[in-house]
Structure formats: structure tokens, C-alpha cells
Amino acid sequence: MPEEIYSPGLEGVIAGETAISTVSGGLSYRGYSIENLARYGTFEEVAYLLLYGELPNAEQLDEFRKRLDAASQVPPAIIEAIRHFPPTALPMDVLRSGASMLAHWDPEIGDNSHEANIRKAERLLAQLPIVMAAHHRLKQGKEPVAPEAGRSLAANCLNMLFRADPSPGHEKAMDVSLILYAEHEYNASTFTARVVVSTLADLHSGIVAAIGALKGPLHGGANEKVMDVLGAVGKKENAEKWIRDALARKQKIMGFGHRVYKDGDPRAVYLKELCNELAKETGNEGLEVTADVIQRVIWEEKKLPPNLDWPSGRLYHYMNLPVELYTPLFVLSRTAGWAAHIIEQLDNNRLIRPRARYIGSEPRAWKPLAKR
Ligand SMILES: CC(C)(COP(=O)(O)OP(=O)(O)OC[C@H]1O[C@@H](n2cnc3c(N)ncnc32)[C@H](O)[C@@H]1OP(=O)(O)O)[C@@H](O)C(=O)NCCC(=O)NCCS
């Protein structure tokens, strides 16, 4: 038996090897810095990079886009089922159920090979936005809008939600947010997906479990909670007092802190630039001032930098996206990263089965029911 090592929350523990991304020395996907991918790439190029290991050339990208277009349909029975979901159903839960339902219709559900899993991942990338947008519209008594071939995934998402062509600025903002959310090493949801498929379960099961893990406010759910913080602050003049009081009460401020990035989240830096631009375009400069005051005080008081959710929550707000869709949008993007990890895990699998330190009672004698 190796020496017992225990780290609560697995903090600092190397739990596996990956060639997909690293957070060491700034975030990079397959060796490309996140700054370059976000500034010069598109989500489709990044999804291809994550799944296939290399950036696509023009022909490969064109073929990839065509495959996504061809896969952009959801069985009518699933849309029908969503129609009957209770009005209280949350979009994150609908996506979790949607991913699970899509498994029933996937033609390769029983094939866990590398190639089949890439094809399944491509289908899910194309199908999950349709599930999210259809539920959003049906909930408002509107009929779903079909995706259009030839559009980017970012533009299709916005068009399927609002039935309107997004402005170039909004399409770009959505695309960049999808790139930044696509992959992040051994975070909670990715690790969940790897644990699930390490039992040789299928890709859809891994994605369903990962969506469940992403929902919590300490992980993906934080981008929705950011708007609660900004809503609670109210006017920008209140920001300094509000945040100092909140920190004195030891309130956790969503969108700040990170298990790994202690000096700053590189994803937040670039998104903040886009956030500023969009705030100007939409007359929301006041909210940026509030956000800056909060950021400054949390750094002064706690030395905590913002994470990606801090600007992304605002960015989505400036795009008029409903708050309950912020974390589902994260799902659409992270599906690329989760799938890459699932495929990597299965390519070189070892069942993930750690041990626990036992802190229960000493051995006890069995007591018959009548004597308890
Ligand atoms: C992400 C997070 C879970 C990382 O947590 P962690 O590595 O376990 O760090 P800890 O919770 O141990 O925090 C260390 C200290 O900073 C404080 N802290 C961490 N995040 C904080 C936050 N967002 N607001 C206020 N204080 C915070 C903790 O209270 C703790 O203070 P203490 O030493 O006085 O008790 C945590 O920072 C958090 O809850 N952030 C808010 C949720 C969020 O934005 N999640 C998205 C992550 S991308």
C-alpha cells in the first residue's frame, strides 16, 4: 500500500495526465495560448483543435462545419417532450435531460471507439444549442427556430433564441465567450466526466454527469450569480460600501477567486476588454464602473482576482441574454472540452477509484433488532 496522501477537495493533487490543456504558465489549449485563440480563432476552430489535437486547415474546417450543419437537428420526440416539461424546469436541467434523451437516438450509442466518440461529440455540439433554444422559446409560448446551415454556432445560438440576426459585435462576443469556456483541465465537471467513462460507460453518460457537476454555483453556476451581486449593489455610488460590508460579513462574492489561479484568471483579462466595448455600445458604462469598484476592493481586502465568470456574466447581460441561460451557454461550449477528455480517458483508460480516509466508528458487534 503506498503512503497515505490526503488533500481535502483534492487540492494540489495530480489526478491524471492530459495533453488537452494546461493552466500552468497561463491557460493554453493543446499548446495554443488562450489569448491567441480568443483573439484570432473561432469557436469551431477551437472545438476542432480540442477534439482532433490540431488546428484545422481551411478544408478540414469547412468539412467540420458541414458535419455540424448536418448534425443540427433534434428528434421531434425530444422537442415534444420538452414541450411537456413543467414551467418550473430550469434550462440547466433541461440540457441535462436533453443530453440524456439524445443518447437514445444516437446511431452509435453502443460504440465507444475513439472515432465513434468524436462523431458523437460533434453531434452533441450541434444538438445541445437546439435543445437550449427550443426550451427557451417554448417556455415563452413561442415555436422553436431551426438552425441555419452556414452560420457560426455563436450566430445560430443567438438567432435560435431571438429569431433575429445578431450584430457582428454580439456574434463576436458570443464566439469569444464560447472559446474561453471550452476547456479548463481537471475542473470538477471534467473530472466527473472522466470518472464516469473510466468505468467504460458511454460518452453521453459522461456529458450528462458533467452537466450536473457544472450546475453548482461554485463551478459553472457562478456566472448567473454574478448578476445577483451586481443587482444587490444597485447604483454605482453604493458599490464601495456594499462590497466592504459584504466582505466584513464574510460573504462569498461570486465571480472571484479560483482554486488554481491565485494571481488572476487569464480568461477574465481579455473578456473584460470585450465587456467594456459592449458596455459602451449598449449604454451600460455605469455597470462597468460598479464592477471595477468591486474588483478593486476585493483585491485590496482579500487579494482575490476575478475569474472568467465576473466579466462573462456582464457580457451576457449586455447581450440581453436571460440570466438562466448563462450556465447553459457554458455547457454548449464546454461540451467540446468534456468530449476531448472523455476520448483521452478512454484512449488510455484506468478505472478512477481513489480511497477515503475512514473516520467512522471502531468495529462494533451486531445488535439484533429487538435490542436496539
Ligand atoms: C472558486 C472557489 C470555490 C475556490 O475556492 P478555494 O480554492 O477552495 O478557496 P477557498 O474557498 O479556500 O478560499 C480561500 C479564502 O478566500 C476566501 N474567498 C475565496 N473566494 C472568495 C470569494 N469569491 N469571495 C469572498 N471570499 C472568497 C475564502 O473565504 C477564504 O478566506 P479565509 O481564508 O478567510 O477563510 C472560491 O474562490 C469561490 O467560492 N468563488 C466564488 C464562486 C466562483 O466564482 N466560482 C467560479 C470559479 S471559475
Side-chain angles (χ1 to χ4, degrees), residues 4-317:
E4 188 185 276
I5 301 168
Y6 171 49
S7 175
L10 298 185
E11 184 162 3
V13 171
I14 303 292
E17 292 183 320
T18 184
I20 300 169
S21 73
T22 181
V23 295
S24 301
L27 177 62
S28 58
Y29 301 167
R30 303 231 186 242
Y32 294 97
S33 80
I34 193 65
E35 289 82 1
N36 282 341
L37 293 171
R39 276 186 203 281
Y40 309 119
T42 61
F43 176 68
E44 282 78 359
E45 285 172 279
V46 167
Y48 186 101
L49 171 70
L50 292 170
L51 290 176
Y52 291 90
E54 296 295 336
L55 281 171
N57 62 27
E59 194 187 330
Q60 287 165 331
L61 183 60
D62 189 47
E63 291 299 317
F64 182 58
R65 287 184 197 279
K66 284 188 182 136
R67 287 198 299 279
L68 292 181
D69 281 343
S72 290
Q73 42 189 310
V74 165
I78 294 183
I79 302 295
E80 238 359 79
I82 294 173
R83 213 182 273 282
H84 296 287
F85 284 173
T88 48
L90 294 172
M92 267 306 269
D93 297 338
V94 170
L95 268 187
R96 188 202 55 222
S97 307
S100 193
M101 287 190 287
L102 283 163
H104 302 312
W105 277 270
D106 195 284
E108 293 179 291
I109 196 65
D111 185 346
N112 225 2
S113 66
H114 180 107
E115 292 71 24
N117 278 336
I118 293 220
R119 290 191 290 272
K120 283 189 261 186
E122 290 184 357
R123 285 195 280 276
L124 274 175
L125 280 171
Q127 290 167 322
L128 288 175
I130 303 175
V131 170
M132 180 195 75
H135 171 246
H136 179 67
R137 290 186 65 85
L138 288 169
K139 215 166 121 170
Q140 297 172 306
K142 297 176 184 163
E143 279 307 298
V145 173
E148 283 175 29
R151 280 178 187 269
S152 68
L153 201 129
N156 252 328
C157 270
L158 293 168
N159 188 48
M160 286 192 291
L161 288 170
F162 300 127
R163 198 196 273 286
D165 282 334
S167 71
H170 282 197
E171 182 179 348
K172 171 77 184 159
M174 174 60 74
D175 198 57
V176 169
S177 76
L178 294 177
I179 291 172
L180 296 176
Y181 272 130
E183 162 57 15
H184 213 208
E185 204 221 47
Y186 265 43
N187 55 81
S189 57
T190 301
F191 190 57
T192 301
R194 290 190 79 128
V195 170
V196 170
V197 300
S198 80
T199 68
L200 299 186
D202 60 292
L203 178 136
H204 282 75
S205 296
I207 301 280
V208 169
I211 297 174
L214 189 75
K215 184 181 171 187
L218 294 189
H219 191 8
N223 65 2
E224 297 185 4
K225 301 288 175 203
V226 157
M227 289 316 295
D228 291 349
V229 172
L230 292 166
V233 174
K235 286 194 278 192
K236 59 181 189 291
E237 293 75 19
N238 297 342
E240 178 115 16
K241 179 174 174 351
W242 187 93
I243 187 63
R244 289 194 186 280
D245 289 350
L247 291 178
R249 285 196 307 273
K250 295 210 164 292
Q251 185 176 327
K252 266 214 167 166
I253 312 300
M254 294 296 145
F256 286 86
H258 198 274
R259 175 59 64 79
V260 181
Y261 301 124
K262 296 302 178 193
D263 298 325
D265 181 337
R267 304 168 298 173
V269 177
Y270 179 48
L271 207 62
K272 164 96 174 102
E273 283 179 30
L274 272 187
C275 224
N276 279 340
E277 282 172 27
L278 221 58
K280 274 197 205 112
E281 215 181 289
T282 55
N284 277 298
E285 291 100 325
L287 208 55
E288 288 299 286
V289 174
T290 303
D292 288 345
V293 172
I294 292 174
Q295 185 171 326
R296 172 178 53 77
V297 174
I298 298 186
W299 182 254
E300 281 168 14
E301 296 292 321
K302 305 276 299 182
K303 291 286 168 284
L304 283 172
N307 57 53
L308 174 60
D309 296 322
W310 184 239
S312 81
R314 279 152 32 229
L315 189 87
Y316 290 159
H317 174 70

